[in-house]
Amino acid sequence: TPAQYEQGQSKVIPRHLRLSNNQNFELYVRSSSNYFTRSGIQSNVPANTLEVGVSQAPATVPLSTTPQKIISNGNPVLDQDVDIRYSIPADKARNLLDKDKTTYTLDVIYSFTAL
């Protein structure tokens, strides 16, 4: 909609990840590529158009092939569900206006490290 291009948009996916670790940890996110694909072919839509973060935190990070930290010094957990926010900020949404109206895909990879 016009409002989504003007204001950006955000969607929270409840219980998108489940974490278990008996030590403090950090959670990272990265993309499989620097660009989205369209029908299996690389497009000119950069991965950093999409930003990802934990829904309880105000900040998101732009996707790139370099892992970006979205949880720092997390406490030990057992089967904790994590809600993830996917966002396209307004300035990046405007860049999508001239793109073909189709489905764009990108693999999003999560990893975590015990501290």
Side-chain angles (χ1 to χ4, degrees):
T1 66
Q4 291 170 317
Y5 287 105
E6 292 170 3
Q7 301 167 8
Q9 65 178 5
S10 184
K11 178 174 176 100
V12 173
I13 300 183
R15 301 181 310 273
H16 193 53
L17 295 177
R18 178 169 284 174
L19 299 177
S20 290
N21 198 344
N22 61 359
Q23 298 177 22
N24 289 2
F25 65 92
E26 295 177 332
L27 179 64
Y28 295 85
V29 63
R30 70 179 181 89
S31 62
S32 59
S33 171
N34 286 318
Y35 293 91
F36 281 83
T37 60
R38 181 182 66 195
S39 301
I41 299 169
Q42 181 178 303
S43 73
N44 61 352
V45 178
N48 67 6
T49 301
L50 183 65
E51 296 187 3
V52 179
V54 178
S55 69
Q56 299 82 357
T60 55
V61 297
L63 278 179
S64 76
T65 55
T66 302
Q68 305 288 319
K69 191 182 313 180
I70 58 174
I71 294 179
S72 297
N73 200 26
N75 293 322
V77 294
L78 180 60
D79 290 338
Q80 178 182 337
D81 290 325
V82 179
D83 301 341
I84 299 292
R85 176 185 302 119
Y86 294 92
S87 301
I88 300 176
D91 61 324
K92 294 179 181 177
R94 287 186 209 107
N95 294 333
L96 299 175
L97 284 170
D98 64 343
K99 305 300 181 207
D100 290 339
K101 294 179 182 177
T102 187
T103 301
Y104 293 84
T105 60
L106 181 72
D107 291 328
V108 178
I109 301 163
Y110 294 91
S111 60
F112 70 106
T113 305
L115 299 178

